[in-house]
Amino acid sequence: MRSAAARRALRNPSDLADAALVPRERLAALNEVAARYAVAITPAVARLIDPPDPHDPVARQFVPDPRELHVEPQESGDPIGDEAHSPVEGIVHRYPDRVLLKLVNACAAYCRFCFRRETVGPGQGALKPKALDGALDYIRAHPDIWEVILTGGDPLLISPRRLKDAVRRLAAIPHVKVIRVHTRVPVVAPERVTAALVLALRMEKAAFVVLHANHPRELTKQVRAACARFIDAGIPMLSQSVLLRGVNDDAETLGQLLRTLVECRIKPYYLHHADLAPGTAHFRTTIAEGQALMRSLHGRLSGLCQPAYVLDIPGGHGKSPIGPCYLSDDGATVEDFNGKRHAYAAGSRAANTTAVSNS
Ligand code: SF4
């Protein structure tokens, strides 16, 4: 039953039960969740899940959970304030030199902690041609826009032909110098990363692909091969991960994820503190826990493996790095990776430091 079901995406709790990913007795509760938030588990994701493991880190990210129906007062349907910064359909303009362009509001697989879960789902479709024209007109009319970030949903879900058309039109705008693609497709549907898709992103201007990956088990041989297709074509890759309780909130798992990414020639870029999306409290750590994790990686892992730990400020005020900070408030001491503090002689030409204490 499981192998038959795993040849296509599983799109409702009955599919999940047929594939032995959830017990049938949980169907009623899971149907309630599926009526509220999109469900899709691709064959690549289904193969990663170990159903007997009640703490499976991949299942936790993709299999619906009744706790998603519990909404905390501080949670919001638009946790990072996209709406307030959307001047025309498809565009989010939050920072002076860059915009998001949402080409499609669907994904190959739906993350249970998704920060756009109120707007992303099957049937939301791609940006209509007229809306895309309007979004491109907006970018053309704003010469400060240096970078366009293709996002969604997942922009690599549209056909290579449509992607190529959008990329070519963006690249033709003189002030747009960089196009960045945020995607989970290489992890959840690596077979979609075809030669035609890679070719769609090849151009004279700089293109970057940013992979969303949260657990080292996601970086299978097929996923690595899909990423290598971009990188070998001259398209550099970065990664973004979401800090998720029960998935990657321990130093060993997170460290292994970050090292494996670098081994795949993917530079870890962001570690996101989980957003206040509705029904996601069971995924969120505290910021203090996130800072302690980052501290534990500092010095133990190469600088190449270190992402910035960031919080998207609720209300649409943008991302800010949230530490930890190794410099004391007065700038007089700085902490090394062993937790030892050193005096810092600010203002001197050569920075002299002296160990002051162990803390
Ligand atoms: S890939 Fe991104 S947009 Fe799509 S469901 Fe996951 S978090 Fe949401």
Side-chain angles (χ1 to χ4, degrees), residues 2-307:
R2 187 175 177 208
S3 58
R7 281 197 284 270
R8 58 177 176 81
L10 311 171
R11 297 200 172 272
N12 56 57
S14 291
D15 285 349
L16 300 184
D18 289 347
L21 294 180
V22 298
R24 291 215 165 265
E25 53 273 23
R26 287 180 61 202
L27 276 185
L30 297 184
N31 279 332
E32 272 188 61
V33 180
R36 183 74 187 79
Y37 300 115
V39 173
I41 293 184
T42 55
V45 171
R47 282 194 293 274
L48 286 175
I49 295 174
D50 177 19
D53 178 0
H55 306 295
D56 184 276
V58 178
R60 189 164 165 78
Q61 292 182 69
F62 294 100
V63 173
D65 185 310
R67 284 175 289 183
E68 293 173 47
L69 297 176
H70 170 77
V71 178
E72 305 248 315
Q74 71 276 23
E75 292 177 338
S76 152
D78 183 14
I80 69 166
D82 281 353
E83 188 73 35
H85 296 273
S86 182
V88 298
E89 188 182 350
I91 293 281
V92 177
H93 196 175
R94 211 183 316 268
Y95 305 96
D97 74 338
R98 54 206 184 275
V99 289
L100 304 182
L101 173 55
K102 296 180 179 179
L103 287 179
V104 60
N105 282 323
C107 294
Y110 291 101
C111 310
R112 308 322 305 165
F113 50 86
C114 177
F115 65 128
R116 295 201 175 113
R117 58 190 336 209
E118 295 286 353
T119 53
V120 161
Q124 300 293 337
L127 202 59
K128 299 271 183 305
K130 216 170 160 189
L132 179 59
D133 290 347
L136 292 170
D137 285 346
Y138 180 87
I139 295 169
R140 270 185 216 104
H142 289 78
D144 288 347
I145 297 173
W146 173 82
E147 180 183 26
V148 176
I149 299 162
L150 303 184
T151 182
D154 198 315
L156 298 193
L157 211 58
I158 64 174
S159 70
R161 185 185 57 77
R162 293 182 73 177
L163 183 66
K164 186 173 178 175
D165 172 67
V167 166
R168 293 294 170 277
R169 292 169 75 189
L170 283 167
I173 301 173
H175 55 266
V176 173
K177 306 293 188 191
V178 178
I179 298 175
R180 196 193 323 166
V181 178
H182 283 187
T183 182
R184 196 136 162 74
V185 155
V187 165
V188 300
E191 70 284 355
R192 291 188 73 94
V193 184
T194 59
L197 185 80
V198 173
L199 209 57
L201 294 179
R202 284 200 65 180
M203 61 182 150
E204 282 182 14
K205 289 190 173 170
F208 289 81
V209 170
V210 182
L211 179 73
H212 173 180
N214 300 322
H215 191 276
R217 200 200 288 171
E218 293 170 30
L219 300 171
T220 62
K221 201 171 152 202
Q222 291 76 13
V223 173
R224 292 171 196 224
C227 294
R229 289 196 276 281
F230 287 120
I231 298 165
D232 291 344
I235 301 170
M237 286 190 73
L238 308 169
S239 71
Q240 53 180 340
S241 305
V242 185
L243 180 57
L244 298 168
R245 191 175 291 291
V247 174
N248 56 17
D249 63 333
D250 64 278
E252 196 180 323
T253 304
L254 189 59
Q256 200 189 335
L257 169 68
L258 298 167
R259 274 192 168 156
T260 308
L261 286 163
V262 173
E263 289 163 18
C264 296
R265 298 178 282 167
I266 302 170
K267 169 74 186 92
Y269 178 42
Y270 280 143
L271 175 66
H272 295 272
H273 189 74
D275 294 311
L276 294 169
T280 60
H282 53 294
F283 281 112
R284 274 192 302 279
T285 64
T286 63
I287 288 179
E289 287 169 325
Q291 290 174 328
L293 262 175
M294 289 298 292
R295 201 177 277 275
S296 74
L297 300 178
H298 172 58
R300 197 169 66 76
L301 254 57
S302 157
L304 276 179
C305 304
Q306 308 280 347

